[in-house]
Amino acid sequence: MTRRSAAGGTNQIPGQRYRVQISQELLAYEEAERQLLESGRWLPLPHRSEWLRAVERDKFLLVNVRDADDTCLCAFAARAMRSRALPGHRTIRVERFPSSGDPAACIAGLEAMSQMASRDSRVLRLSVELFDRDSTGRAKIGAALQAMKFRTAKRNRMYSHTVQIDLRPNEEEIFASLHGTARRHIRSIAKRPVRICPIEDRVYAPRLGEILRETLRRTGGAHRAVDWESVIDFAKGNPALGRLVGLCSTECTGPESLLAFALGLGHGDNVQYATAGSIRRPDLRWPLGYALAWDLVIWGKSAGAEWFDFGGITEGHAFDRHDAVGGISDFKRYFTKERVSVGEEWIFEPHWLQGALSRAISAGAAWAGTLVRKLPM
């Protein structure tokens, strides 16, 4: 196995089937990506060069695994982020680890990543998100990670369960499979003073941020800044990989007309209902999100995806005081009740002391933040 470091050095390890390259050279990674796609394999969006170039701003480690004939068998990207808890250190995260490559080659790539992290005293944590409906495939990768001294995360950043829609039937059959409530709300848009349209102009970026912040305040979600201008450009320039669609009032124009939005992301065999938001006004006493979700379902089918991932679900329901997003989960269940296990997260801390210190600092900061939020204003 040959391992190329981010600095460009090469180490030869005899007796291995694969050559693993780890670098920050996007051009070399694009060639590996092209080989995989041409062979009929797919890559989730966090591992596509188009997404890395257009949207992401973190530094990336780009991994590709090749056989003796220099054929790429697996490729993935790992996000390297500076630690806020321990300055000078970093965490590395692999999102939606692709399971479409050669399983043994993918494991070889992860092993090379863990060895690199062990050699770098600045790495606090290496996180790997496994995303696959095939529990057998996840278990195989999970067993390999466990052998590398990874452990399952106590609290996943990603969702472990979702509800899915099979996109293989025709559009009429898919629509007929929806709950009557969903069908009724989708049809009702035709009777309202609104229109559905793709969001392709950067002028809408501040409005998208405003709507998302309002939505997260209602649901108690943590807000993470989104570079909406880059997302708009990406969806416009890559219509098979992303769709950003809005519900706009016909009674006004410009950004203020935007009442709701939904973002769909393409991950090869599936498309994800990634982010959505809506405003609340006394004169809007009807659901805004159903027609947008249905638009993304149809877009996903036209893009060639096999199934629609609703982006996670909880056990709660509307008005459940223990689940702030129970109402959103109910909304998703009106489209489908086919619940499926899809994800798990594995953590590797190569340097125990730094990892423990980082966890303690982060836990203290979280406790202080919770206390401040509870104080009377």
Side-chain angles (χ1 to χ4, degrees):
M1 176 168 57
T2 300
R3 210 165 39 247
R4 182 176 299 166
S5 71
T10 300
N11 297 320
Q12 181 72 34
I13 300 178
Q16 299 289 336
R17 292 176 54 194
Y18 305 108
R19 292 187 305 113
V20 181
Q21 298 176 332
I22 303 176
S23 74
Q24 293 178 333
E25 301 170 10
L26 191 53
L27 285 176
Y29 181 80
E30 285 178 329
E31 172 59 22
E33 176 187 31
R34 182 189 63 78
Q35 286 188 21
L36 282 178
L37 296 176
E38 288 183 352
S39 70
R41 292 169 175 160
W42 47 265
L43 284 173
L45 202 55
H47 310 281
R48 294 293 299 266
S49 56
E50 296 95 331
W51 180 259
L52 300 179
R53 286 186 183 280
V55 177
E56 298 292 356
R57 295 295 178 264
D58 293 312
K59 291 184 177 179
F60 279 83
L61 299 176
L62 304 167
V63 183
N64 70 84
V65 186
R66 297 175 178 273
D67 63 13
D69 297 325
D70 203 37
T71 300
C72 183
L73 303 176
C74 177
F76 60 92
R79 176 185 291 169
M81 299 168 287
R82 289 181 294 179
S83 170
R84 290 180 293 180
L86 287 182
H89 292 72
R90 60 180 178 164
T91 61
I92 300 174
R93 187 172 196 85
V94 181
E95 299 178 348
R96 295 178 84 104
F97 182 72
S99 57
S100 65
D102 179 286
C106 290
I107 290 171
L110 291 173
E111 184 177 11
M113 285 290 296
S114 68
Q115 291 172 358
M116 182 213 67
S118 296
R119 293 194 304 271
D120 189 342
S121 61
R122 299 170 300 166
V123 175
L124 294 175
R125 188 178 306 109
L126 171 59
S127 304
V128 178
E129 296 178 355
L130 302 184
F131 187 94
D132 195 335
R133 293 183 299 173
D134 178 9
S135 58
T136 302
R138 288 206 319 270
K140 184 174 183 178
I141 301 291
L145 289 172
Q146 189 173 28
M148 299 175 209
K149 302 189 183 306
F150 280 72
R151 58 177 172 79
T152 54
K154 293 181 179 178
R155 293 183 62 185
N156 291 346
R157 285 186 55 180
M158 68 176 296
Y159 49 91
S160 60
H161 292 81
T162 189
V163 287
Q164 65 173 355
I165 296 176
D166 185 353
L167 298 180
R168 290 171 298 181
N170 63 45
E171 181 178 330
E172 292 74 19
E173 291 172 326
I174 296 173
F175 189 77
S177 72
L178 309 185
H179 189 281
T181 298
R183 298 198 303 269
R184 183 171 67 255
H185 289 319
I186 292 168
R187 291 188 179 116
S188 71
I189 291 299
K191 305 174 183 177
R192 309 289 184 180
V194 294
R195 59 188 175 90
I196 296 175
C197 58
I199 299 172
E200 298 181 334
D201 192 327
R202 283 186 167 202
V203 72
Y204 285 89
R207 179 63 168 172
L208 289 165
E210 175 188 336
I211 292 175
L212 182 59
R213 284 190 295 272
E214 179 180 331
T215 302
L216 292 173
R217 279 196 298 269
R218 294 198 305 263
T219 61
H223 181 261
R224 178 186 173 190
V226 177
D227 182 356
W228 284 111
E229 289 188 350
S230 294
V231 173
I232 291 169
D233 291 346
F234 173 81
K236 182 179 179 180
N238 300 275
L241 296 178
R243 180 167 173 81
L244 181 59
V245 64
L247 187 69
C248 294
S249 170
T250 58
E251 297 174 340
C252 59
T253 59
E256 292 304 312
S257 69
L258 186 62
L259 306 175
F261 75 89
L263 172 65
L265 299 178
H267 299 294
D269 71 334
N270 72 91
V271 292
Q272 176 195 17
Y273 183 78
T275 308
S278 62
I279 66 168
R280 283 191 175 174
R281 291 194 330 217
D283 60 321
L284 298 175
R285 297 185 178 276
W286 41 276
L288 303 180
Y290 284 88
L292 295 180
W294 176 245
D295 179 276
L296 294 183
V297 169
I298 298 308
W299 163 73
K301 180 172 178 59
S302 68
E306 296 178 2
W307 62 285
F308 187 87
D309 166 23
F310 254 109
I313 196 167
T314 65
E315 301 292 340
H317 298 275
F319 309 113
D320 186 340
R321 61 190 181 91
H322 299 295
D323 188 346
V325 295
I328 297 175
S329 294
D330 279 344
F331 158 76
K332 296 176 180 181
R333 282 187 284 259
Y334 278 125
F335 283 83
T336 173
K337 293 185 181 295
E338 189 175 349
R339 188 173 184 268
V340 60
S341 172
V342 290
E344 57 196 64
E345 183 174 352
W346 290 79
I347 305 293
F348 175 59
E349 290 183 338
H351 311 291
W352 181 86
L353 182 59
Q354 293 99 312
L357 182 59
S358 171
R359 289 197 307 275
I361 294 173
S362 297
W367 176 83
T370 301
L371 183 63
V372 167
R373 287 193 295 270
K374 291 182 177 180
L375 291 175
M377 300 300 290

